[in-house]
Amino acid sequence: MKTVSTSLSHDGVQGVYSHASETCNCEMTFAVFVPPQAKDGPCPVLWYLSGLTCTHQNVMDKGEYRRLAAELGLIVVCPDTSPRGEEVPDEKDNWQFGKGAGFYVDATQETFARNYQMYSYVTRELPALIEKKFPADMSRQGIFGHSMGGHGAMTIALKHPDRFKSCSAFAPIVQPSTAGWSKPALEKYLGTDQAAWRTYDACALVEDGARFPHFLIDQGTADSFLDEGLRPWLFEEAAKDTGIALTLNMREGYDHSYFFISTFMDDHLRWHAERLT
């Protein structure tokens, strides 16, 4: 692991790091905020998964999470959204696929399978590195994300309820297998057999028996992607009568941007802290 940069913030340390990923077969960069409480022992870990076109940098620069994370004693890990590098296959004119749009799946199709293994990277390789290199209490983990990252957070939590104690999302893609801006990507990564897509679809996972105790979702009513790609009401319907609790906040007038995310970031951090500390 290489240290790209470190900065003191709210008496904690905001760092950016890189490493050669065996899972994605390329150099991967990620950010970690370590709160001041880590001087006294391991701290809970909160994973933040970013959305389409983003990297670790977006939430680090615009998410406004460090002040409260330092107060609550949370380590915040921000992975990249996809493999990177000149040798990684991409569609440069398609912002919904390729670099910046890994969708947190393990690709099975030729051309993409060598690099696009973001599910395994986020659930196996990077956690092992975090556990080894940082003062992280891996018995207390939570996960959240935005848009494509909200999709990733919810599907990962549903598949690992024994590992994660909390999950929330900002404007998640709750049913990517039918959404116009994600369905083409799933087909390119996973093939035309839609049965293979279900394990990366929160609504389908619930229909197939996956369970998680409680989700928090915040969604802006002025989000231009609401009806085309996000549709949180579909997850609300899927979770009904399953024992899954859902707190769905429709935020009047808010859009899809980090102005929206930063406004409600404190609510999400406190939600996770209640379950992790």
Side-chain angles (χ1 to χ4, degrees):
M1 189 180 77
K2 305 172 187 174
T3 300
V4 178
S5 66
T6 56
S7 298
L8 191 66
S9 179
H10 299 283
D11 293 325
V13 176
Q14 177 64 70
V16 177
Y17 310 91
S18 68
H19 71 118
S21 169
E22 295 181 359
T23 304
C24 296
N25 287 291
C26 64
E27 192 79 4
M28 295 293 287
T29 302
F30 61 96
V32 180
F33 175 73
V34 178
Q37 293 88 335
K39 298 172 184 175
D40 301 320
C43 293
V45 179
L46 181 56
W47 296 82
Y48 179 88
L49 306 185
S50 288
L52 286 162
T53 76
C54 293
T55 68
H56 67 283
Q57 194 85 31
N58 298 74
V59 69
M60 193 177 75
D61 289 351
K62 297 182 287 188
E64 301 181 17
Y65 59 84
R66 278 175 289 271
R67 177 194 57 80
L68 190 56
E71 178 184 320
L72 298 172
L74 299 173
I75 291 175
V76 181
V77 181
C78 308
D80 201 348
T81 55
S82 66
R84 303 286 174 174
E86 293 183 5
E87 302 302 317
V88 174
D90 188 24
E91 292 184 5
K92 293 182 180 180
D93 297 327
N94 184 1
W95 63 275
Q96 297 171 334
F97 184 76
K99 296 178 188 177
F103 277 94
Y104 304 101
V105 305
D106 280 349
T108 58
Q109 299 305 292
E110 192 175 353
T111 304
F112 304 109
R114 171 175 166 78
N115 302 108
Y116 287 86
Q117 300 291 312
M118 288 303 298
Y119 175 79
S120 290
Y121 177 73
V122 168
T123 61
R124 294 207 300 264
E125 184 177 17
L126 189 54
L129 186 61
I130 296 298
E131 184 173 24
K132 181 178 180 181
K133 297 292 187 179
F134 296 90
D137 182 353
M138 303 302 278
S139 69
R140 294 184 291 167
Q141 296 185 69
I143 190 166
F144 68 147
H146 171 229
S147 194
M148 178 184 74
H151 136 75
M154 292 176 69
T155 56
I156 288 170
L158 282 164
K159 288 189 279 189
H160 298 278
D162 54 335
R163 181 189 305 184
F164 295 99
K165 297 183 180 297
S166 58
C167 181
S168 69
F170 299 100
I173 308 171
V174 300
Q175 197 178 78
S177 61
T178 63
W181 65 347
S182 51
K183 185 177 179 180
L186 294 186
E187 183 171 334
K188 291 174 185 177
Y189 288 135
L190 304 173
T192 57
D193 181 3
Q194 295 191 17
W197 304 3
R198 296 184 68 82
T199 189
Y200 299 111
D201 183 306
C203 290
L205 281 166
V206 171
E207 291 170 3
D208 292 343
R211 297 292 181 264
F212 195 79
H214 199 168
F215 290 96
L216 167 64
I217 295 177
D218 273 289
Q219 172 66 61
T221 61
D223 191 323
S224 60
F225 302 113
L226 179 57
D227 294 326
E228 175 190 359
L230 307 174
R231 306 170 296 166
W233 49 84
L234 296 179
F235 188 76
E236 186 175 36
E237 181 63 28
K240 191 178 297 183
D241 300 324
T242 64
I244 297 173
L246 172 63
T247 301
L248 173 60
N249 299 316
M250 298 300 295
R251 303 295 189 176
E252 189 67 32
Y254 281 90
D255 59 18
H256 200 67
S257 72
Y258 268 89
F259 297 113
F260 157 63
I261 295 168
S262 62
T263 300
F264 300 104
M265 178 61 77
D266 281 9
D267 293 348
H268 285 246
L269 293 176
R270 293 190 188 281
W271 167 275
H272 290 280
E274 287 175 5
R275 291 156 177 78
L276 298 178
T277 59

